[in-house]
Amino acid sequence: MKTRLVLLLPAAFAAAAAQPMTCDLGEYKAAPGLRAEMSEGALRLTWLGARGQELRASFGIDNGVPMVRELAARKANGAWAALGRDLAPEFQVTSGVRRISEQQLSPLRKLGLMSPEFLEQEKWKVFWDAPLNVPGSARTNPGLPRQASEIRRAAASFHATGCKVKTDGARLEVSFDGLSMGIFSGRLQFTAYKGTNLLRQEAIAQTAEPSVAYKYSAGLKGFRTEGRRVIWRDVARGWQKCEFGGSPNADPVALRARNRLAIVEGASGSLAVFPAPHKFFFAREIELNLGYVWYRKDDAGSFSVGVRQADHEEMYRPFGFSDEVWQRRSRQARGFADGNFALYNAPPGTWQRMAVYYYLSPEAGPATQESALAFTHDDRYKALPGYQVGVGHFHTHFNEQVTDAGSIDFQPPWIPTFRALGINIAMMSDFHGDGHPEDPGALRFADQKVYFDACRRHSDRDFLIMPGEEPDAFLGGHYTMGFPKPVFWTHVRKEGQTFEENHPRYGKVYHVGSAADELEMLRKESGLVWQAHPRTKGSAGYPDAIRETEHFRSDRYLGGSFQSLPGDLSQSRLCEVRCLGLLDDMNNWTGPKYLVAEGDTYAKFPDDETYPHLLVNYIKVDRLPGFDQDWSPILKAMRAGDFFVTSGEVLIKQFTAAGGAVEAEIEWTFPLEFVEVVWGDGQKTDRKVIPATEYPPFGSHRFRIPLEMAGKKWVRFAAWDSAGNGAVSQPVHVKSAP
């Protein structure tokens, strides 16, 4: 049977390739290890991959449909292994109507920011929206109930007549015009990268409609079932497989695969399929694995594979030894599932890039999996000497959990989840829907005592839990507070209570009744505060509304949080407008302000897909302090801007801005896209973007970018890769030359 397969497939390939195809090679430049050529009416790409391996992809057109005639791989000087032949690209898009949330509207009403033009802009920053949930969760968005007619589903159709080949640094792009997908239209593109076995397939499309939120699925159709199977690891890291012995599927089978990765495995090679590690994901309250890769048996002899997003959120596993806590967390889980699944934004005229990645390999599935996971360091934040990996803003209800369990020795599942990711510092934000934050003393301090004791008990030599919270008391919007030690304080100050008190059990405590009180407490305790989810959610309109206040201009006000919200696949940076735009604005307004990477999520379990939803901070601290030691080195480093934020795949090992140049030493995994220097003069922001597509994957480089410092107030550096991952330095305020 194997001999007959080898003899028949080349004949089938030749027959399929018989239809001639014209390709525009005007922007193609031949280069060693990266070649495009026409052969037998098809376009053939050949490129050098990892470890001396060589990859091949051939393309043709059948009745207007771009076809992948062949995907193949071989080891150095070895025989070619066919991974698939006569494969058709497949895309589906599901869209709904984007609405602003009532959570955003609440602070905006109080600030008087209700012009139609402003609200049109703000709706694209929404978190609490679930466009595919009909009729929707009452009081979550204006204009409910949703109608079923709002939801539209469309599969891609193709009307290609030829292709275009372009060399861009160390990559080749092959594009086919004539893609239509319901309200979207554009082109299909494949990209091969020298130095890696990656092949990216994407629909690059736009819509003219005004309020579109959408999700997509993408993949390849036409793999032969004979001699092939799909394998993946389940959420418990056990290997699973489908050998297509059952009947055909009517719909794609969503795989809750660990690391968002499925593999088509044959006798002489394999092909991994996966989405971009962070850009593919939009912000949610939880990180439950909803199944981001799929297969579908189409008939007795063929199957398809790809990536996908679900239509809806699912409920997380509620905790609770007592009925009271169980019911409360069950209601919360239901509320998350009903009200939050925002999808991607598609503002009119923006080119949305709906991508899927393939990793071509002449090796067996487990080896291919290892190679693919190298791009995310096996979903772990790589240790960097001289730095600690910290991230904050998590509502774990830690106090409630250990109190309900009856022991501070109860280990909640979020702790091993964080530790497995390589996180050293967890800056928590509890008392957000639990405890007694509005109590003036007795109940509040008792809650804090349990909270602090539990953080102490579960911290370790390489893992520090810093107790904190997300108040919305006096400083405007929601904000995150952190201190260099546990601090007892209340959000309210009753008549007759002093600002500061020596409590017989808890020692020094604070009663806060105004913004001035909060700022004074921060000064006395060397604490820091930053705006949680700025310009969206309960902080819509902030910190813009407080930019002239004493507390915002104080050195205790660090800046704002950085989270990949909203999701917009037309943008080449994570949180490009809301977060990075705010960073630049704040530094034009006043002195040094920074972005702090935060999660802003709730329940966590080791079988969740937490890594793709997180950005983290690499904080320049040599030694991690213990819980009962002074944490001020962490906060001092943050206040000095001695940290950078990253998705994990790009690291900034060093950054300086002086002497007429910006210098940055970085390392990366995915092929780089560009690096940039951004600066402001106190009024406006400008940037210099340096393409970096000539650099190979898994590289490092020291960039030196000449920059005249005269007239500049501040400068920052960022690096972004081809999958939308990146790292951002904090701004350095410079003294302009006279």
Side-chain angles (χ1 to χ4, degrees):
M1 182 64 68
K2 290 183 179 178
T3 302
R4 184 167 58 188
L5 182 66
V6 172
L7 291 173
L8 289 176
L9 280 177
F13 171 55
Q19 296 182 2
M21 179 179 70
T22 59
C23 278
D24 178 357
L25 300 176
E27 295 186 75
Y28 165 67
K29 298 177 182 178
L34 198 63
R35 187 170 72 252
E37 59 188 341
M38 297 301 297
S39 175
E40 297 180 336
L43 173 72
R44 176 178 293 170
L45 304 186
T46 309
W47 70 99
L48 186 66
R51 300 182 302 281
Q53 296 174 2
E54 197 171 9
L55 300 314
R56 190 168 69 197
S58 297
F59 303 95
I61 297 175
D62 285 352
N63 298 317
V65 178
M67 298 292 294
V68 180
R69 299 291 189 212
E70 181 189 47
L71 295 176
R74 69 175 178 179
K75 297 179 181 179
N77 301 316
W80 284 102
L83 308 177
R85 287 193 170 110
D86 296 324
L87 307 172
E90 182 173 308
F91 291 90
Q92 290 86 28
V93 68
T94 302
S95 64
V97 175
R98 170 64 74 227
R99 289 174 169 86
I100 198 170
S101 69
E102 290 292 347
Q103 186 189 41
Q104 293 167 277
L105 289 171
S106 178
L108 293 178
R109 288 188 185 103
K110 294 175 184 177
L111 294 171
L113 299 173
M114 293 295 289
S115 72
E117 296 79 13
F118 184 73
L119 296 184
E120 172 65 22
Q121 168 188 306
E122 293 302 290
K123 79 179 180 185
W124 299 113
K125 302 172 187 174
V126 71
F127 175 78
W128 282 99
D129 193 15
L132 305 184
N133 281 9
V134 177
S137 182
R139 297 181 297 280
T140 302
N141 310 89
L144 297 183
R146 294 185 184 91
Q147 304 300 316
S149 59
E150 296 179 18
I151 300 174
R152 289 175 284 187
R153 303 178 190 272
S157 61
F158 300 94
H159 309 280
T161 57
C163 74
K164 183 177 181 179
V165 182
K166 178 182 177 181
T167 301
D168 182 6
R171 65 185 64 170
L172 282 178
E173 298 174 352
V174 181
S175 59
F176 299 85
D177 289 334
L179 179 149
S180 297
M181 192 160 44
I183 61 174
F184 289 90
S185 62
R187 68 185 187 274
L188 170 69
Q189 182 167 299
F190 292 90
T191 306
Y193 306 86
K194 181 181 176 181
T196 178
N197 301 27
L198 286 178
L199 180 68
R200 174 176 165 126
Q201 170 191 316
E202 59 188 326
I204 304 174
Q206 62 179 346
T207 179
E209 299 211 0
S211 299
V212 174
Y214 77 100
K215 61 138 194 168
Y216 75 93
S217 66
L220 284 172
K221 177 179 180 178
F223 290 95
R224 306 310 299 171
T225 57
E226 185 175 0
R228 289 186 176 87
R229 62 181 184 173
V230 173
I231 64 171
W232 67 96
R233 287 196 308 173
D234 61 27
V235 295
R237 295 181 170 84
W239 281 102
Q240 302 293 337
K241 64 182 179 179
C242 175
E243 297 182 327
F244 303 104
S247 59
N249 302 114
D251 297 301
V253 178
L255 303 176
R256 296 180 193 257
R258 192 74 190 180
N259 312 116
R260 316 157 301 283
L261 180 69
I263 301 170
V264 177
E265 187 180 52
S268 54
S270 54
L271 179 141
V273 55
F274 52 94
H278 298 277
K279 195 75 172 175
F280 184 72
F281 296 88
F282 39 83
R284 295 158 54 200
E285 293 283 29
I286 57 176
E287 296 110 7
L288 184 68
N289 188 332
L290 299 176
Y292 305 111
V293 288
W294 58 269
Y295 73 80
R296 184 186 63 237
K297 184 178 181 181
D298 296 308
D299 53 46
S302 69
F303 67 95
S304 308
V305 295
V307 300
R308 47 93 68 182
Q309 284 282 6
D311 277 9
H312 308 284
E313 185 62 274
E314 295 180 12
M315 291 176 62
Y316 73 80
R317 298 190 294 274
F319 67 84
F321 290 89
S322 66
D323 285 344
E324 177 188 0
V325 172
W326 175 267
Q327 292 296 334
R328 180 160 59 247
R329 294 305 152 215
S330 295
R331 289 192 298 272
Q332 182 184 65
R334 181 75 261 174
F336 290 171
D338 286 343
N340 171 241
F341 206 65
L343 313 180
Y344 311 114
N345 287 336
T350 57
W351 287 103
Q352 300 294 314
R353 306 188 73 126
M354 309 174 208
V356 53
Y357 282 90
Y358 308 109
Y359 191 92
L360 287 61
S361 173
E363 300 179 297
T368 300
Q369 180 228 32
E370 184 177 338
S371 296
L373 287 180
F375 288 101
T376 62
H377 306 296
D378 199 15
D379 283 8
R380 184 177 174 87
Y381 297 100
K382 180 181 176 180
L384 189 61
Y387 288 83
Q388 306 297 327
V389 181
V391 66
H393 198 154
F394 298 105
H395 305 307
T396 63
H397 311 304
F398 196 14
N399 165 73
E400 181 180 81
Q401 284 185 312
V402 297
T403 300
D404 185 55
S407 171
I408 63 170
D409 289 316
F410 170 76
Q411 185 187 75
W414 58 266
I415 291 177
T417 301
F418 282 157
R419 299 194 70 166
L421 292 169
I423 291 170
N424 304 109
I425 305 170
M427 296 176 276
M428 310 308 291
S429 290
D430 280 316
F431 304 121
H432 196 74
D434 64 306
H436 304 84
E438 303 307 315
D439 180 76
L443 295 176
R444 163 75 168 171
F445 294 149
D447 285 344
Q448 288 183 305
K449 179 65 166 61
V450 172
Y451 184 36
F452 298 157
D453 287 348
C455 291
R456 176 183 292 106
R457 181 64 53 88
H458 292 280
S459 292
D460 208 340
R461 289 189 178 94
D462 62 349
F463 184 66
L464 174 63
I465 305 175
M466 294 177 63
E469 57 186 296
E470 180 195 356
D472 59 349
F474 303 106
L475 299 187
H478 292 207
Y479 43 93
T480 300
M481 276 189 173
F483 295 97
K485 64 179 182 181
V487 173
F488 288 91
W489 68 287
T490 68
H491 295 193
V492 294
R493 181 175 172 185
K494 291 196 311 183
E495 185 176 352
Q497 282 185 319
T498 59
F499 165 63
E500 191 175 327
E501 174 189 353
N502 188 23
H503 194 280
R505 181 177 180 188
Y506 305 115
K508 184 193 294 186
V509 302
Y510 294 94
H511 300 284
V512 169
S514 66
D517 284 353
E518 280 194 276
L519 180 57
E520 182 64 15
M521 176 181 66
L522 287 164
R523 286 171 170 159
K524 281 178 170 286
E525 297 296 337
S526 300
L528 293 175
V529 61
W530 55 91
Q531 195 83 61
H533 41 74
R535 295 177 171 174
T536 188
K537 301 176 76 172
S539 296
Y542 292 94
D544 306 63
I546 59 168
R547 55 182 284 190
E548 300 297 338
T549 62
E550 180 185 3
H551 57 267
F552 179 80
R553 292 184 170 268
S554 162
D555 69 343
R556 296 300 89 199
Y557 206 106
L558 190 61
S561 70
F562 185 33
Q563 178 191 9
S564 186
L565 187 176
D568 187 332
L569 300 182
S570 71
Q571 297 174 356
S572 53
R573 305 163 183 86
L574 294 169
C575 202
E576 185 171 293
V577 175
R578 185 182 67 84
C579 301
L580 297 177
L582 171 70
L583 177 63
D584 301 340
D585 287 346
M586 289 190 298
N587 284 278
N588 278 331
W589 295 341
T590 185
K593 301 294 181 187
Y594 307 130
L595 285 186
V596 182
E598 293 191 336
D600 195 7
T601 48
Y602 285 75
K604 283 175 181 45
F605 299 87
D607 56 353
D608 288 346
E609 281 295 308
T610 301
Y611 176 82
H613 290 88
L614 277 189
L615 305 173
V616 299
N617 310 282
Y618 275 70
I619 306 170
K620 198 170 185 179
V621 176
D622 286 329
R623 187 184 63 85
L624 183 69
F627 186 88
D628 289 319
Q629 296 174 328
D630 181 13
W631 311 334
S632 62
I634 298 171
L635 273 69
K636 286 179 179 177
M638 295 175 67
R639 180 57 274 177
D642 287 337
F643 68 107
F644 64 89
V645 295
T646 177
S647 59
E649 296 79 10
V650 183
L651 301 178
I652 302 175
K653 302 168 76 171
Q654 180 269 340
F655 161 64
T656 59
V662 168
E663 292 193 30
E665 181 182 357
I666 67 171
E667 67 173 68
W668 62 88
T669 59
F670 279 88
L672 272 186
E673 192 71 22
F674 63 91
V675 300
E676 62 181 344
V677 176
V678 186
W679 64 86
D681 62 5
Q683 299 295 324
K684 64 182 184 302
T685 300
D686 208 342
R687 70 185 68 231
K688 179 187 290 187
V689 175
I690 296 92
T693 55
E694 74 272 19
Y695 292 95
F698 297 102
S700 63
H701 185 74
R702 179 181 290 273
F703 288 89
R704 187 181 191 277
I705 304 166
L707 187 69
E708 174 57 56
M709 298 295 174
K712 295 175 176 57
K713 181 182 180 185
W714 56 268
V715 180
R716 65 175 176 86
F717 174 86
W720 300 94
D721 71 23
S722 55
N725 312 304
V728 180
S729 80
Q730 302 301 337
V732 171
H733 280 237
V734 297
K735 293 183 179 179
S736 300

